[in-house]
């Protein structure tokens, strides 16, 4: 579920997702995730450490511009991850 906190929920076309190799599930299916999260987190961290997956860093802000970084996320102009630089 994306976008519900700031407006309407994002609508995802299940056929398009399937073509891209993504499985779309309903929010009610999240209740069964608990027992798997530790295993999934270990698997993903192992893959990240091996360089197989990387986050998309869309923009960086120096710490003194944290308010601008937050505004970019609120305005939905941020693409990927937003990082604060120390």
């Amino acid at each position: 579920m994306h976008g519900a906190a700031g407006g309407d929920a994002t609508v995802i076309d299940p056929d398009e997702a399937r073509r891209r190799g993504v499985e779309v599930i309903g929010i009610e299916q999240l209740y069964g995730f608990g027992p798997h999260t530790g295993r999934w987190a270990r698997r993903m961290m192992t893959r990240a450490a091996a360089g197989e997956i990387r986050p998309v860093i869309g923009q960086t802000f120096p710490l003194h511009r944290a308010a601008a970084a937050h505004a970019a996320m609120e305005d939905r102009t941020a693409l990927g991850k937003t990082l604060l630089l120390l």
Side-chain angles (χ1 to χ4, degrees), residues 57-79:
I57 299 171
Q59 57 280 315
T60 61
F61 291 83
L63 184 57
H64 72 273
R65 295 201 55 231
H70 195 270
M73 290 184 288
E74 279 187 353
D75 295 342
R76 296 183 177 204
T77 58
L79 182 64

Side-chain angles (χ1 to χ4, degrees), residues 32-81:
F33 277 28
H36 306 286
T37 54
R39 177 173 47 88
W40 291 340
R42 284 188 296 278
R43 184 171 70 188
M44 296 311 292
M45 293 305 286
T46 298
R47 292 185 66 196
E52 295 175 22
I53 56 173
R54 294 170 28 130
V56 174
I57 299 171
Q59 57 280 315
T60 61
F61 291 83
L63 184 57
H64 72 273
R65 295 201 55 231
H70 195 270
M73 290 184 288
E74 279 187 353
D75 295 342
R76 296 183 177 204
T77 58
L79 182 64
K81 300 297 179 188

Side-chain angles (χ1 to χ4, degrees), residues 10-52:
T10 300
V11 176
I12 299 172
D13 177 3
D15 293 329
E16 176 67 17
R18 201 171 5 269
R19 281 193 294 279
R20 293 175 179 230
V22 175
E23 181 182 359
V24 178
I25 61 172
I27 196 164
E28 70 280 353
Q29 291 174 292
L30 295 178
Y31 297 119
F33 277 28
H36 306 286
T37 54
R39 177 173 47 88
W40 291 340
R42 284 188 296 278
R43 184 171 70 188
M44 296 311 292
M45 293 305 286
T46 298
R47 292 185 66 196
E52 295 175 22

